[in-house]
Amino acid sequence: MPLERLISARQLTIPVLHEIFQTARKMRTICQEKGRTNLLADKMIGLVFLEPSSRTLLSFQSAAQRLGAGIVFIQGVGSTSFEKGESLSDAIKVVSGYCDLIVARLPKSGDAQIASDASCVPFINAGDGGNEHPTQSLVDTFTIIEELGTLSNLQYAFGFDPLQSRSIHSLCLVLSQFENIGFDFISPPELMAPRWLVEQCTERSVRVSQSTSLAELKNPDVIYLNRLQEERFPDRSLFEKYRYEYRLTPEEIPASCRLILDPLPRVDEIALSVDELPIAGYFRQAQNGVYLRMALLAMLLGRDIA
Ligand code: CP
């Protein structure tokens, strides 16, 4: 399987997904039965995280260490030579001399491509600004298939910031390959899904609709929510205007819904009382991050497990 760099969810074709899912299931068994393996004991992973992260950073750290790999990392720009004006390309070129694979979370849309072009070793985009988050889409699709048994023939609802949520962008790009699916984007009018995403999904025969209210939900099987992306609002008053208005409560969940996901962190978008429902899958989703990232690291470094 030729995947050596993961920049966009567009690279995650159905055969690639199935291969990663199969390996992720084996990784889950390793974690549950032995805790770790030496598959990458001779490898060093570079983690370059220039934007805040809990799940992605820690699940990649856990994944690398459960595979026996060493880690070098940059977390935040404050203590690094970015503060002295070093360019992203120069920094990545240097880090790629210290490790065998780089995972990077970067602040601007398009930074992942720049960093990958500069890297001499395999590269993984762990989120580039408001653009994409392809490893999150692996975690999301794996969780759906493990919980519902399929990615096809489902109605998906996405809220509440499809304009700026990189997790929603990447997940829609992956799901749009599957048959007989519908996407209902729910958001304030100013935060509707970007035209490029709607066009791409429509071209692939996804039924797409956009609504401004949870009351207009179209019998979803899966509800996927992500917080309003506070750090990406050019006008903070818009964030304040909507932050409490768009929140899922148990009373608003349609009977059709079988799974609620959220890449997290949760801020205001899901009431705490939803957590008690068996269909609230977001903490199980977060745990799956380790298995998927173990599978991805092994794949990009050309290692198989029996
Ligand atoms: N889902 C996700 O990307 O979470 P973090 O920002 O905490 O990594």
Side-chain angles (χ1 to χ4, degrees), residues 41-159:
D42 57 338
K43 299 293 184 187
M44 188 66 75
I45 308 297
L47 300 170
V48 177
F49 275 64
L50 305 186
E51 264 199 346
S53 172
S54 298
R55 275 145 293 276
T56 313
L57 177 61
L58 287 178
S59 60
F60 265 117
Q61 278 182 333
S62 175
Q65 290 178 346
R66 284 183 184 276
L67 290 166
I71 288 171
V72 289
F73 68 92
I74 290 175
Q75 191 175 2
V77 296
S79 60
T80 71
S81 287
F82 286 112
E83 283 288 283
K84 303 174 197 165
E86 185 169 32
S87 71
L88 178 62
S89 293
D90 280 3
I92 292 289
K93 207 169 289 181
V94 170
V95 175
S96 70
Y98 300 158
C99 60
D100 302 292
L101 180 149
I102 293 179
V103 180
R105 169 163 291 189
L106 303 166
K108 289 206 292 271
S109 180
D111 273 353
Q113 188 63 60
I114 293 168
S116 176
D117 290 346
S119 175
C120 306
V121 295
F123 178 90
I124 296 173
N125 176 9
D128 60 332
N131 183 33
E132 277 218 51
H133 195 349
T135 71
Q136 183 65 50
S137 70
L138 283 173
V139 177
D140 301 338
T141 46
F142 181 76
T143 304
I144 296 166
I145 212 156
E146 293 300 277
E147 303 247 347
L148 302 185
T150 183
L151 295 165
S152 307
N153 306 309
L154 295 173
Q155 181 71 27
Y156 296 89
F158 297 98

Side-chain angles (χ1 to χ4, degrees), residues 277-301:
L277 304 177
I279 60 171
Y282 27 93
F283 294 113
R284 299 189 292 276
Q285 176 188 5
Q287 184 172 1
N288 286 334
V290 174
Y291 317 134
L292 266 298
R293 289 172 174 125
M294 288 173 79
L296 190 61
L297 292 175
M299 174 183 276
L300 267 62
L301 288 167

